[in-house]
Amino acid sequence: MRVRSIGFSTTICTYPRTPRNLHLFVSTRRYSHSDMSVVNRSVHPFDKSRLDALLNRRFFYAPAFEIYGGVAGLYDYGPPGSSLQANIMAEWRKHFIIEDHMLELDTTIMTPAPVFETSGHVARFADWMVKDTKTGDVLRADHLVKNVLEARLAGDREARGLAARPKDEKDKKRKKNAKTVVVQLADELVKEFESILAQLDNYSGPEIGELCRRYDIRNPDTGNEVGEPQQFNLMFASSIGPTGQHPGYLRPETAQGHFLNFSRLLEFNNGRVPFASAQIGRSFRNEISPRAGLLRVREFTMGEIEHFVDPEDKSHEKFREVRDTVLSLLDRHVQVSGSTQVTQMTIGEAVDKGIVANETLGYFLVRIHLFLIKIGINPKRLRFRQHMGNEMAHYAADCWDAEIENATGWTECVGCADRAAYDLSVHSARTGQPLVVRQALKEPIVTERDVPEFNKKVVGKTYGRDAGLLQKVIGEMDESQLTKLKGQLAQGQATISAEGKEFTITPDLLAIERKTFKQSIREFTPNVIEPSFGFGRILYTLLEHSFWCREQDIERGVLSLPPVVAPTKVLIVPLSAKEEFSPLVQEVSTKLRKAGIFSRVDDSNTSIGKRYARNDELGTPFGVTLDFASVQNRTMTLRYVCGGPRPTVGFSVVTRLTDLPSPCSERDTTDQLIGPIDDVITVLTELVQGTIDWPAACKRLPAYDGVQAVD
């Protein structure tokens, strides 16, 4: 008897039994979603509503407290979403903490108010909001201007016949932030709007208010005018202790925990700089009007790195390894000119020309770039935008955002700032604790300078309680002031004013002498380069970049997630529900788990096609099939399930965008390999870990020709 499977349904053909054919041939044709051998990912335009439906159906994430009506800006992650985020964070740890030898921290979320008063967050960590003059609805001011002007430009393009809006019933029913009206604008007005959008982040609150008045920008939901922009602090206030005697805040960033522990970190690193600390943790921002899913939330997970460096030497020892890497850069000067045109430039050239402030900042821009590409972000939809003057954080000397394009536009997902010495300096001044580096000099520095010497007994007797004030004022004088005071004392006396009081100084109270100093220790406050990652935003944009629909069936959505971050790595498919398969399925599942590979068994009664379709939606990259030959011969077939990017070997340096393993637009679906179970698991482990790619796997395991013999 010969058994041959057509597609994934088994047809049994009976032949006369003879001694020569007392065996069973099992043939399993390579699973394919269509009769074509090629998968075309771009045949259907991206449809956000289909992606949202998939993410909701498969519970990647959902609104928190949904059965109570939910709260805007708060989301719960389901099993695949939690696993995807955990895998992204695990790869982040490998890519940054392990490869760059960083010191990992886990600091508290609840923070006493004085910390954020000192850091400047209480006074400055705010966004501009406007209120509907009739309903009182609150909107974020810059987002209102952006949405309205973009809608007007879209209407202008449609009126000119440059872009036709799809007539989708779902779009008509969906509530819009700003209604698109088909009206052709004057060419000059189009240029004005484009210029405003290019530099919108650089506008102050009053300037945004002026834009609303000049262009009659109203609340899109009601058509009502909005009031003047007002600042709204984004921190959640709280209190510590049963009586609330210690005011506090939920942290809006993890960074302050690094700075407050600087002395301990420095000691742990044997007193040497440069070094970096890193942390993954929860942060909270009381967003004004969160309406963009995971792109704008009130509670989120972030990863932050604080790289402490000598302010006089911001070079990086590994910069030469990345200096030829090409990035897409949008600098501040281009934006201020009203343009958003990016420039392809090597990071070495950008640093040499002063576009990027220093080597360490440039090094981290490249490392951010490589990380995002490694986890599956499309490099053609990734750019680095430099902050303009007015949008620069109060602590930053230079800042670049890694922005990823998605259905809502370009979204900041990573910020990389040179925070200079701001944080350590202000915390040191507030607490009196020296947050400095003491560095032994190879050769001592010998200097001469004038030094005030007080006759403290006479000063105290003469000025009493004001003696301390006098000594403080003179002690803070610079070299030129002391020289001038020395000359006056040589003439007999000098007069000094301080806090509305006058002090007459004579030589018996104070002598200014020239002394020689030998400095063998250099003391300085380090500067900080800070990459800051929003994992929720990265996760969502990755899902967008990975989503597509099958060419033959638009209802068949696929998430082509790279194996390194996919929630489930392997789908185990037994072709029969017979009991004899159970031990083998259990064995394969156990071995995969021991190898650290998250797998899922689908032994449901549905067709093989439906089983794979479910896992297409979950982004499962690999599938192994167990059939009757597996039971007898202990072989197993391996296929690359999702029609997405092939797994590629990890890389460290990329010099051109064309070198990057970007998501493929099509993929041959006929590949199927076979081998002993243990060999297949070994190859699978290396594929998942990224140490080999699919072509290498094809060399390790033979191709499956569709026919196996069993006795």
Side-chain angles (χ1 to χ4, degrees):
M1 183 175 69
R2 172 172 290 187
V3 175
R4 181 174 296 275
S5 72
I6 307 301
F8 279 100
S9 61
T10 303
T11 302
I12 301 178
C13 302
T14 305
Y15 296 88
R17 293 194 179 191
T18 69
R20 294 187 179 181
N21 62 17
L22 287 177
H23 56 267
L24 183 69
F25 288 90
V26 179
S27 173
T28 306
R29 191 179 71 180
R30 173 70 177 98
Y31 169 70
S32 177
H33 293 283
S34 71
D35 294 334
M36 300 176 64
S37 62
V38 169
V39 169
N40 186 349
R41 290 183 56 179
S42 59
V43 65
H44 300 295
F46 174 77
D47 187 337
K48 188 175 186 303
S49 64
R50 293 186 185 279
L51 173 60
D52 290 341
L54 183 154
L55 299 179
N56 183 67
R57 181 169 63 255
R58 295 304 177 197
F59 193 16
F60 274 80
Y61 60 89
F65 320 111
E66 191 169 20
I67 64 174
Y68 279 89
V71 177
L74 298 177
Y75 290 88
D76 294 330
Y77 287 79
S82 297
S83 183
L84 176 59
Q85 179 173 250
N87 292 341
I88 292 172
M89 292 190 297
E91 191 58 35
W92 187 87
R93 280 192 168 96
K94 292 177 186 176
H95 186 83
F96 291 103
I97 295 177
I98 294 176
E99 291 186 27
D100 283 323
H101 306 288
M102 297 179 179
L103 310 179
E104 189 165 12
L105 289 173
D106 183 4
T107 62
T108 63
I109 291 171
M110 181 62 71
T111 308
V115 172
F116 289 126
E117 291 168 359
T118 302
S119 68
H121 284 79
V122 172
R124 303 186 187 96
F125 195 75
D127 281 337
W128 293 96
M129 68 176 186
V130 291
K131 289 185 178 181
D132 186 305
T133 55
K134 294 182 179 179
T135 67
D137 291 345
V138 175
L139 303 100
R140 180 163 156 175
D142 57 339
H143 290 177
L144 171 64
V145 173
K146 177 177 182 289
N147 292 337
V148 171
L149 295 189
E150 285 182 344
R152 291 180 185 176
L153 289 173
D156 172 77
R157 287 193 295 270
E158 188 170 350
R160 295 169 187 256
L162 300 177
R165 299 184 66 224
K167 305 301 181 182
D168 190 334
E169 290 300 320
K170 294 180 180 178
D171 285 342
K172 293 178 182 178
K173 296 177 182 178
R174 194 181 303 130
K175 186 177 181 181
K176 295 292 183 181
N177 285 335
K179 183 179 180 180
T180 298
V181 179
V182 182
V183 175
Q184 184 169 339
L185 306 174
D187 292 344
E188 295 77 11
L189 193 58
V190 170
K191 291 180 180 179
E192 284 184 35
F193 286 176
E194 290 175 343
S195 178
I196 290 169
L197 291 172
Q199 52 186 318
L200 184 58
D201 291 324
N202 203 35
Y203 284 95
S204 66
E207 289 171 334
I208 292 175
E210 174 59 27
L211 291 176
C212 291
R213 291 190 297 273
R214 184 189 311 166
Y215 298 109
D216 192 27
I217 295 175
R218 299 167 177 250
N219 182 351
D221 295 333
T222 64
N224 299 328
E225 293 181 349
V226 295
E228 285 299 307
Q230 302 172 14
Q231 279 198 316
F232 174 74
N233 193 285
L234 300 179
M235 289 194 296
F236 284 100
S238 185
S239 60
I240 304 171
T243 61
Q245 68 269 37
H246 301 295
Y249 295 95
L250 299 180
R251 67 184 181 193
E253 61 177 22
T254 69
Q256 301 307 315
H258 297 251
F259 305 134
L260 300 185
N261 285 288
F262 171 73
S263 294
R264 293 182 180 274
L265 290 168
L266 181 65
E267 182 181 6
F268 187 88
N269 202 52
N270 299 320
R272 298 174 181 172
V273 292
F275 73 88
S277 57
Q279 177 173 191
I280 291 176
R282 286 283 190 177
S283 294
F284 304 81
R285 297 182 184 182
N286 195 12
E287 294 287 349
I288 294 170
S289 55
R291 298 181 179 183
L294 296 185
L295 297 181
R296 192 156 298 280
V297 294
R298 287 171 167 147
E299 177 182 350
F300 54 96
T301 301
M302 65 190 309
E304 288 193 301
I305 297 166
E306 308 299 337
H307 183 94
F308 299 95
V309 63
D310 188 334
E312 296 182 3
D313 181 12
K314 293 187 180 181
S315 63
H316 196 286
E317 62 178 359
K318 294 169 71 176
F319 184 73
R320 64 183 181 277
E321 299 176 13
V322 303
R323 68 172 293 118
D324 293 329
T325 305
V326 175
L327 300 181
S328 297
L329 302 178
L330 176 57
D331 69 60
R332 61 166 68 98
H333 303 294
V334 172
Q335 297 171 73
V336 171
S337 71
S339 174
T340 57
Q341 182 65 45
V342 301
T343 301
Q344 300 291 326
M345 183 182 296
T346 67
I347 193 63
E349 183 182 359
V351 171
D352 292 343
K353 291 182 175 180
I355 297 171
V356 174
N358 55 72
E359 284 190 5
T360 299
L361 185 61
Y363 174 76
F364 278 109
L365 293 184
V366 173
R367 293 293 291 161
I368 292 165
H369 173 79
L370 295 179
F371 168 73
L372 293 174
I373 302 307
K374 183 188 297 184
I375 65 171
I377 295 299
N378 186 341
K380 296 177 181 178
R381 303 176 69 186
L382 171 64
R383 73 183 185 188
F384 287 87
R385 186 185 69 82
Q386 188 177 31
H387 281 205
M388 293 170 281
N390 283 346
E391 66 171 318
M392 195 83 73
H394 60 275
Y395 50 73
D398 190 14
C399 185
W400 292 78
D401 287 342
E403 295 185 332
I404 303 175
E405 187 183 27
N406 57 83
T408 67
W410 289 93
T411 299
E412 172 205 348
C413 293
V414 186
C416 193
D418 182 340
R419 299 179 73 128
Y422 174 83
D423 300 276
L424 295 178
S425 297
V426 295
H427 287 304
S428 180
R430 176 71 179 265
T431 63
Q433 298 295 319
L435 302 177
V436 296
V437 175
R438 294 174 58 81
Q439 190 178 73
L441 298 174
K442 293 181 180 180
E443 295 184 4
I445 299 175
V446 179
T447 58
E448 289 187 352
R449 66 175 183 268
D450 288 328
V451 177
E453 294 286 347
F454 290 94
N455 186 332
K456 294 183 179 180
K457 184 176 181 180
V458 177
V459 171
K461 185 177 181 180
T462 304
Y463 292 107
R465 294 181 179 180
D466 291 332
L469 174 62
L470 176 63
Q471 294 179 63
K472 179 177 180 294
V473 171
I474 296 176
E476 292 176 350
M477 287 183 174
D478 59 26
E479 185 77 8
S480 61
Q481 291 173 318
L482 286 174
T483 300
K484 180 180 179 180
L485 179 60
K486 184 177 182 179
Q488 292 174 340
L489 290 174
Q491 299 298 319
Q493 67 178 31
T495 301
I496 295 176
S497 299
E499 296 185 3
K501 299 178 180 180
E502 285 194 354
F503 300 90
T504 300
I505 310 299
T506 56
D508 63 320
L509 297 176
L510 172 67
I512 298 177
E513 301 178 357
R514 193 75 173 174
K515 290 189 176 183
T516 300
F517 293 88
K518 184 178 180 181
Q519 182 184 355
S520 58
I521 299 292
R522 177 187 169 221
E523 188 174 281
F524 63 89
T525 302
N527 281 200
V528 177
I529 309 298
E530 178 197 70
S532 179
F533 298 72
F535 287 118
R537 291 183 175 185
I538 293 172
L539 181 148
Y540 174 75
T541 53
L542 172 59
L543 289 170
E544 262 205 25
H545 288 198
S546 302
F547 178 72
W548 54 284
C549 295
R550 294 286 176 188
E551 182 174 1
Q552 302 302 315
D553 186 357
I554 195 172
E555 299 299 329
R556 295 279 292 276
V558 182
L559 288 175
S560 293
L561 295 169
V564 70
V565 295
T568 303
K569 313 297 186 186
V570 182
L571 174 65
I572 303 172
V573 181
L575 292 187
S576 172
K578 291 185 176 182
E579 291 185 6
E580 59 190 293
F581 276 74
S582 297
L584 195 60
V585 171
Q586 183 62 37
E587 177 189 345
V588 171
S589 181
T590 299
K591 287 183 175 180
L592 286 172
R593 286 199 303 272
K594 287 184 177 179
I597 299 174
F598 190 88
S599 62
R600 182 182 183 191
V601 178
D602 193 337
D603 55 3
S604 60
N605 293 327
T606 59
S607 68
I608 296 294
K610 288 184 178 180
R611 293 193 232 177
Y612 274 94
R614 281 200 296 260
N615 282 274
D616 276 352
E617 292 187 341
L618 291 170
T620 306
F622 301 108
V624 295
T625 305
L626 297 169
D627 53 26
F628 290 98
S630 303
V631 176
Q632 180 170 312
N633 301 333
R634 293 187 58 76
T635 57
M636 183 166 62
T637 59
L638 167 65
R639 60 175 56 87
Y640 195 42
V641 178
C642 286
R646 293 174 180 271
T648 54
V649 178
F651 55 91
S652 58
V653 178
V654 179
T655 58
R656 298 178 304 277
L657 287 180
T658 52
D659 295 332
L660 293 165
S662 58
C664 306
S665 61
E666 57 185 27
R667 191 183 70 83
D668 186 344
T669 63
T670 61
D671 292 345
Q672 188 172 190
L673 310 177
I674 191 170
I677 288 174
D678 288 340
D679 290 353
V680 173
I681 290 175
T682 299
V683 169
L684 257 176
T685 302
E686 294 183 47
L687 282 169
V688 170
Q689 293 175 346
T691 55
I692 65 171
D693 56 16
W694 186 254
C698 293
K699 294 178 181 178
R700 296 269 294 274
L701 296 173
Y704 179 47
D705 61 8
V707 178
Q708 293 189 72
V710 296
D711 295 331

